[in-house]
Amino acid sequence: MSVIYVDNAATTPVSGEVLAAMTPYFTEVYGNPSSIFYSVGEAAREALDAARERTAKALNAEPGEIFFTSCGTEADNWAVKGTARRMAARGKKHLITSAIEHHAILHAMEALEKEGFEVTYLPVDAEGFVNPADVEAAIRPDTALVSVMMANNEIGTIEPVAEIAEICRRKGVLCHTDAVQAVGAIPVDVKALGVDMLSLSAHKFNGPKGVGALYIRRGVNPVVFMDGGAQERGRRAGTENLAGIVGLSVALERAVNGLDEKAKKLAAMRDAVLDHIAAMPKVKINGPLDRAKRLPNNVNASFEAAEGESLLLMLDMKGICASSGSACASGSLDPSHVLLAIGLPHEIAHCSLRISFGVQNTMDDARGVHGAGRDRAESARAQPALE
Ligand SMILES: *Cc1c(COP(=O)(O)O)cnc(C)c1O
């Protein structure tokens, strides 16, 4: 039985082209980019500079505004904790975020609360949208930072980040966005968005795991998070993961260049499954009903008659790899904080499934997924709903 992998919000396979671009940096150009007094190091430095330029161009940033990190989680932690600690020195110890952020943001915020910071967790509506008016109302004279994600990893909601950033600018508050799910799926232009910081992660757009980046607008200066050498202009120490950084930059360039075409292909698969699910009994689709306002690859639904874990087992038996809620929440029995925040009761939140398509998927995969859904619906009709 072949496997249908439809959990691309958790991670994606590295494309052949990206792998080929990375390979020389393990074995041939293995120099340390900081050792520029001989050719092997110099070649590594040139590759690093080129990767930074490629990354900046794809985001409409300046190369000097791109800082490579070990993952999206590190970029999020740096933005949130680094800004909080910088602004605390000016008496600003209040932070604003949303209730549906990734744990990389939420747990960083909780750690700051233990250090004496105050955090406002904004609610979202039934489709997962943050209301920009709520952001404005929550800003106080001591607010240091607003961090609202660009697109939600579980239910695909695309947040009004440009509007939120505009409010922040007007109020003199720094603005960060976790764009880990957005980059490579929808257009991301840091200047058009007007944010001060933006996080991304290579493995969510067919790049390698273990490498991310934080865009930091010129003039913004979160406290250094990783102390050590002078890498990344003295702001993020540690010998650069050069192969990974090259992989990130090439994957990003490819994702951004082919974005329209890719998004159309993803949306066709998403819509085939959404249409199918919408016609099933006892099902609720989570996230925006207006499909233009959800990620092109995201399906999330609650099936009243089955538990998320048993749905996954059933799909797994058919060779389909999906997720109950979020890869990070599955494995625990706590229902997803995102599904609870959009108002689902615990028992419905437990019966939820996320399907996220990637460039390597085909319409046949989408048909395989909704074929399994039809079998599920038939067995659900044959059984009484679980309490
Ligand atoms: C995956 C993800 C992260 C974490 O990125 P890693 O590179 O896996 O650490 C952060 N935020 C969102 C929204 C994500 O989807």
Side-chain angles (χ1 to χ4, degrees), residues 5 71 149 203 211 224 227 240 290 295:
Y5 180 82
C71 56
M149 68 200 323
H203 76 97
V211 59
V224 169
D227 293 303
E240 299 86 348
D290 176 354
L295 286 174

Side-chain angles (χ1 to χ4, degrees), residues 4 6 11 37 39 49 52 66 85 93 108 119 121-122 131 160 188 230 243 259 301 309 315 346 359:
I4 301 178
V6 284
T11 196
F37 300 108
S39 59
D49 291 346
R52 196 183 309 284
I66 301 298
R85 290 169 187 158
K93 296 195 74 174
V119 182
Y121 298 91
L122 296 174
N131 184 346
V188 175
L259 194 60
E309 305 293 324
L315 287 176
H346 275 245
V359 279

Side-chain angles (χ1 to χ4, degrees), residues 127-297:
E127 293 186 318
F129 290 108
V130 172
N131 184 346
D134 289 348
V135 176
E136 181 148 12
I139 292 176
R140 321 189 305 209
D142 63 341
T143 304
L145 176 75
V146 171
S147 179
V148 173
M149 68 200 323
M150 196 163 166
N152 183 267
N153 46 303
E154 292 190 35
I155 58 173
T157 310
I158 299 170
E159 300 294 347
V161 170
E163 247 179 283
I164 291 169
E166 203 276 317
I167 291 165
C168 291
R169 243 185 345 268
R170 186 152 41 78
K171 296 271 189 172
V173 174
L174 291 169
C175 183
H176 165 256
T177 190
D178 173 345
V180 172
Q181 288 291 331
V183 170
I186 58 175
V188 175
D189 174 326
V190 292
K191 294 211 172 72
L193 281 171
V195 291
D196 298 294
M197 287 165 285
L198 179 145
S199 307
L200 59 106
S201 176
H203 76 97
K204 301 292 175 76
F205 49 83
N206 302 98
K209 293 170 188 55
V211 59
L214 182 64
Y215 157 79
I216 308 177
R217 189 173 61 74
R218 192 175 303 283
V220 176
N221 194 13
V223 168
V224 169
F225 190 61
M226 192 75 99
D227 293 303
Q231 291 92 354
E232 300 296 283
R233 283 88 74 216
R235 294 173 73 179
R236 196 283 182 185
T239 300
E240 299 86 348
N241 169 10
L242 185 57
I245 289 168
V246 169
L248 180 152
S249 70
V250 172
L252 180 60
E253 185 179 65
R254 298 300 181 272
V256 167
N257 286 347
L259 194 60
D260 281 355
E261 207 183 318
K262 174 184 167 183
K264 254 186 223 142
K265 181 187 158 176
L266 293 173
M269 294 187 282
R270 173 199 67 185
D271 292 348
V273 174
L274 278 178
D275 290 345
H276 210 84
I277 288 177
M280 288 167 67
K282 292 190 179 174
V283 177
K284 179 187 176 299
I285 289 173
N286 300 316
L289 292 181
D290 176 354
R291 293 178 190 178
K293 291 187 174 167
R294 73 186 297 146
L295 286 174
N297 71 335

Side-chain angles (χ1 to χ4, degrees), residues 9 152-157 270 273-274 277-278 283-289 294-295 297-303 323-326 336 338-339 342 344 348-349 351-357:
N152 183 267
N153 46 303
E154 292 190 35
I155 58 173
T157 310
R270 173 199 67 185
V273 174
L274 278 178
I277 288 177
V283 177
K284 179 187 176 299
I285 289 173
N286 300 316
L289 292 181
R294 73 186 297 146
L295 286 174
N297 71 335
N298 172 282
V299 174
N300 188 308
S302 301
F303 301 78
S323 167
S324 67
S326 148
S336 137
V338 176
L339 298 178
I342 61 172
L344 295 192
I348 304 289
C351 316
S352 302
L353 196 63
R354 176 186 70 186
I355 290 157
S356 46
F357 290 101

